[in-house]
Amino acid sequence: LAKEHGHQPFQFYTPALESRASRMLNQEQLLRQSIAHGGFELHYQPQVRCDTGALSGFEALVRWRHPQRGLVSPEEFVALAEARGLITAIDRWVLRRACREACGWYAQGMPRVPVAVNMSAQEFRHSDLASDVAAVLAETGLPAQLLHIELTESTLMHSDAQVQRTLHALQQQGVEMAIDDFGTGYSSLAYLKRHPIHQLKIDRSFITDLTENDDDTAIVTAIVQMAKSLRLRTVAEGVESAAQLAALRALGCDMAQGYHIAPPMPADQVLQWQQDYCHKLQAQ
Ligand code: C2E
Ligand code: MG
Ligand code: MG
Ligand code: MG
C-alpha cells in the first residue's frame, strides 16, 4: 500500500487503510463463497451483421450475485479475482454455463449462432485451457465451431510457447478466437501474424464519436481494411445509435454489438428477444 504513494517512503497505518484492506479481504471471502456456491449469472448480448442485420452471435458477460449489493458488474470484481488467483474458477463456470445455455436455445429453435466467452490472460498461462475446453464441449455437446473465446491484446503481447500451444490447440478443435477491445492495447501488430486469430473486436472508445470525429473514422477504417487483408472478421463494440451502425456498414465492418441492438440480457430473455428481433427484421 505504501508503494502506491510515490515519494513517501512509508505510510502510517491509519484506520482508513485498515478498513480498505479489510474490505478487500471481505470481498475476497465473499467471492470465494460465491465461487463455491454458484453465486454468479450470465447475461448475453447479441451481435448482428452490419449489412443485413441478421443475428450473428451472443457474448456471455458474467455478473456476481452479491449478497448485499445485488448484481455486480465484472468491472468491479474481475481485477480482484485475477489478483487472488480466482479468475480461472469463475471463467470455467462461465464457459460451462454458456455452452449449456446455448445448447438449450438451439434445442428450442434458435438459429445456431456462436456464443462468445471472455478469458483472462492467466488462463492461457497457468491452466490447461485447451483440454478444459475440449472437456466442456464434450460434456455439453456444443459444437466447437459455435464457441468463440475473447482474449485481450495483452494476452498475446506477453505470449510464450505455452500461450501459443494453447491457442493452436483451441484452433485445432475448431474454436475461434477474438481479440477484445482491439486498438487499446499495444502498438505492435506482429502478434496478429503469430497467432491463430479470427476476429477483431473494435474497442468502444473508437465507436462512441465515430459519426462526429474524423480521427475515429480514420482509425476504424484502417482497422477494417487491415482485418480484411488478414481475412479477419470485425465486430464493433458499444454501438449505441442507428447513425453509428450506418457508418460502420458504410466502412465495411462485419458485425455490431451494443445498446442500439440490445443491452446484455438474462439468459431466460434471449429466446423471446431473438424471436421479436427476427420479426422486426422481416417486417422491414
Ligand atoms: P467486454 O468484453 O469488452 O464487454 C463489453 C462491455 O461493454 C460489457 O460490460 C457490456 O455490458 C458493455 N457494453 C455493451 N454494449 C455497450 C454500449 O452500447 N455502450 C456501453 N457504454 N457499454 C456497452 P460488462 O458486462 O460490465 O463487462 C465488462 C468487462 O468485464 C468485459 O468487457 C470483459 O472484459 C469482462 N468480463 C465480462 N465477463 C467476463 C468473464 O466471464 N470472464 C472474464 N475474465 N472477464 C469478463
Ligand atoms: Mg468481451
Ligand atoms: Mg470488448
Ligand atoms: Mg470493451
Side-chain angles (χ1 to χ4, degrees), residues 38 40-42 62 88-98:
F40 299 88
E41 62 185 73
L42 294 183
V62 71
T88 300
I90 296 173
D91 283 349
R92 287 304 181 281
W93 181 88
V94 169
L95 174 68
R96 182 170 286 114
R97 179 72 167 222

Side-chain angles (χ1 to χ4, degrees), residues 59 118 150 180 201:
E59 178 177 5
N118 295 277
E150 300 193 3
D180 212 344
K201 297 194 74 178

Side-chain angles (χ1 to χ4, degrees), residues 197-209:
I197 298 302
H198 307 85
Q199 248 186 47
L200 302 182
K201 297 194 74 178
I202 306 169
D203 191 65
R204 182 174 82 220
S205 59
F206 304 116
I207 309 300
T208 306
D209 297 320

Side-chain angles (χ1 to χ4, degrees), residues 45 59 62-63 73-74 91 118 120 180-181 204 240 259:
Q45 188 175 36
E59 178 177 5
V62 71
R63 274 86 183 94
S73 148
D91 283 349
N118 295 277
S120 289
D180 212 344
D181 307 332
R204 182 174 82 220
E240 295 185 352
Y259 297 162

Side-chain angles (χ1 to χ4, degrees), residues 153-180:
E153 288 173 277
S154 58
T155 305
L156 299 179
M157 288 307 293
H158 308 295
S159 88
D160 52 14
Q162 160 76 6
V163 175
Q164 300 237 23
R165 264 198 306 277
T166 301
L167 288 169
H168 283 280
L170 288 167
Q171 186 199 31
Q172 286 296 307
Q173 292 177 47
V175 176
E176 293 206 353
M177 260 70 69
I179 301 189
D180 212 344

